[in-house]
Amino acid sequence: MKRLTSILLALVMVISLVGCGNSADTEETETSSEAVETAEEGTPEETEEAASESADGEEGKPKIGLSIAGLTMPYFVRMYEGFLAAAEKEGYEVVFADGGADAESTVKAVEDLLSNDIDALAVSTNYSEALADTFATCKEEGIPIFYIGNLSLVPEVQESMTFWEGTRNDSAGYLGGLWMGNYLDSIEYKKDLNVVCVSLMSDPLIQRYTGFEQGLKDKGYTVNLINTVGDLTREKSMADSEDMLTAHDDIDIFYGTAGTSALGAYDATQNMNRTEVMVIGFDGEDEEIQHIDEGGNYVCTICQDPVGESEVTVEAIKTVLGGGTVEGGHETPAKVYGTGTGYVTSDELLK
């Protein structure tokens, strides 16, 4: 009897333990299920943030593709740095591809950018015609295109552009003529000027001269163009300018329509000890600025504003990505760096 009672008590204990175990397992399972469900759902804010990151990349930043051809020149380096600074201010991610120094490299760089899932494309290059087909593809894919530093795009390129900007060559030259007129007034120079233009014979570069001449005329000076010599190389520009100095003892100004052209003319004045002849350049190269600061006969250089051009472009990108529209063909004014004045803006010169 005692043995039977003991067996019955043992069975009751086993049944109790099994019941407790089932209850604990059920509770643990329910708790785990709730935790998984909570982790999967997250807070509404976390879910929205994750979706934004998935759609737009790192931290939801719009991704801008940038290609600039010519980073061996200070002008394009300043454009590049200005673009990065303006884009960072707006919170954009920039993917850069160097356009190199030829059309083939430029096309490859832009095509590489298009494979990076970019939201907009910004380009500055001297080989825009080679990109016509690539730009057309970009437009078909709905990627807005922004061109930096050229107002004279060929029609098949321009029709793909969302926005393009640049500096007019004649307007930039005109500002240089106004500055030079003010400078000549300040040193009480004679009103009749003999000028040699140092330039490659191309329409855009010649426009830089005609604008300069008109600026001087509007300041009351008579301009006698003796000749146009040189090209875009420093060596030939120097040699031709030396020939001009040998043939003429009454030259007042060498006007170079590019930095290399003007620096070649400057070398000629130094080589032949003709530092009474003033030199004016175009581009705002570092060496030009250096010679102007030295206070010699290199008196000024006309500068496009690459930082300003980049800032205008990033602002246009911001407007378009925000759902707005922009008008292409924006003119970004030049400025002048001169002896005794440093940088002078177009607003200051035009008043």
Side-chain angles (χ1 to χ4, degrees):
M1 185 70 178
K2 288 182 180 179
R3 183 179 178 185
L4 180 60
T5 302
S6 299
I7 291 172
L8 291 173
L9 287 172
L11 288 172
V12 170
M13 291 177 65
V14 169
I15 293 169
S16 297
L17 288 171
V18 170
C20 291
N22 287 342
S23 175
D25 289 345
T26 302
E27 182 177 350
E28 182 179 350
T29 301
E30 290 177 352
T31 302
S32 300
S33 177
E34 290 175 2
V36 170
E37 183 178 355
T38 301
E40 288 178 349
E41 290 180 358
T43 65
E45 291 78 10
E46 290 171 345
T47 303
E48 183 178 351
E49 182 179 351
S52 176
E53 290 182 9
S54 175
D56 295 324
E58 181 185 353
E59 299 180 358
K61 293 181 178 180
K63 185 186 292 186
I64 314 301
L66 173 66
S67 180
I68 296 176
L71 288 183
T72 56
M73 298 177 63
Y75 166 78
F76 289 109
V77 171
R78 291 194 293 270
M79 178 186 290
Y80 169 77
E81 293 173 345
F83 191 96
L84 292 187
E88 181 181 6
K89 185 178 178 182
E90 297 298 337
Y92 295 155
E93 177 186 354
V94 177
V95 182
F96 178 73
D98 190 341
D102 56 67
E104 184 178 355
S105 299
T106 298
V107 172
K108 184 180 184 305
V110 173
E111 289 179 346
D112 287 346
L113 290 175
L114 296 185
S115 67
N116 270 275
D117 194 28
I118 58 176
D119 298 293
L121 173 68
V123 176
S124 184
T125 177
N126 291 323
Y127 307 103
S128 60
E129 291 87 347
L131 287 165
D133 291 340
T134 306
F135 285 148
T137 300
C138 189
K139 184 180 180 181
E140 290 172 2
E141 295 178 358
I143 301 173
I145 314 170
F146 302 80
Y147 204 103
I148 313 173
N150 193 343
L151 287 173
S152 303
L153 298 173
V154 296
E156 56 267 33
V157 170
Q158 185 172 303
E159 67 184 11
S160 297
M161 293 298 113
T162 303
F163 175 84
W164 66 99
E165 67 76 43
T167 301
R168 282 180 49 185
N169 288 298
D170 55 346
S171 296
Y174 183 75
L175 293 178
L178 293 181
W179 184 93
M180 192 63 187
N182 291 337
Y183 174 75
L184 295 175
D185 287 347
S186 71
I187 61 174
E188 299 182 350
Y189 203 79
K190 63 187 180 72
K191 290 291 185 178
D192 192 55
L193 304 174
N194 296 318
V195 178
V196 172
C197 179
V198 187
S199 176
L200 180 71
M201 294 297 290
S202 73
D203 288 342
L205 296 178
I206 295 305
Q207 288 171 9
R208 293 180 177 183
Y209 171 76
T210 57
F212 172 74
E213 182 179 282
Q214 188 60 52
L216 278 172
K217 288 179 178 179
D218 286 353
K219 294 298 293 184
Y221 287 85
T222 300
V223 180
N224 307 306
L225 178 61
I226 295 176
N227 205 343
T228 299
V229 300
D231 58 13
L232 289 175
T233 67
R234 188 165 181 166
E235 293 76 14
K236 179 170 174 53
S237 296
M238 179 185 71
D240 287 0
S241 295
E242 287 179 344
D243 289 343
M244 287 290 99
L245 290 171
T246 300
H248 303 275
D249 60 4
D250 57 351
I251 299 173
D252 298 296
I253 297 170
F254 277 123
Y255 175 74
T257 61
T260 48
S261 305
L263 286 167
Y266 174 78
D267 292 341
T269 65
Q270 302 303 303
N271 293 343
M272 301 188 68
N273 196 28
R274 292 286 300 278
T275 56
E276 81 282 2
V277 180
M278 293 172 281
V279 178
I280 298 157
F282 199 112
D283 282 339
E285 299 280 4
D286 290 345
E287 187 177 351
E288 292 183 271
I289 302 295
Q290 175 187 335
H291 290 318
I292 292 167
D293 288 343
E294 290 168 352
N297 63 315
Y298 207 120
V299 295
C300 82
T301 180
I302 302 160
C303 314
Q304 297 178 79
D305 183 8
V307 173
E309 289 180 311
S310 289
E311 291 171 347
V312 164
T313 303
V314 171
E315 185 64 29
I317 292 173
K318 177 182 177 182
T319 298
V320 171
L321 294 185
T325 58
V326 292
E327 184 177 351
H330 175 86
E331 182 179 353
T332 302
K335 53 187 176 181
V336 178
Y337 190 93
T339 299
T341 62
Y343 284 111
V344 183
T345 67
S346 60
D347 286 343
E348 292 172 310
L349 288 166
L350 296 171
K351 297 185 178 180

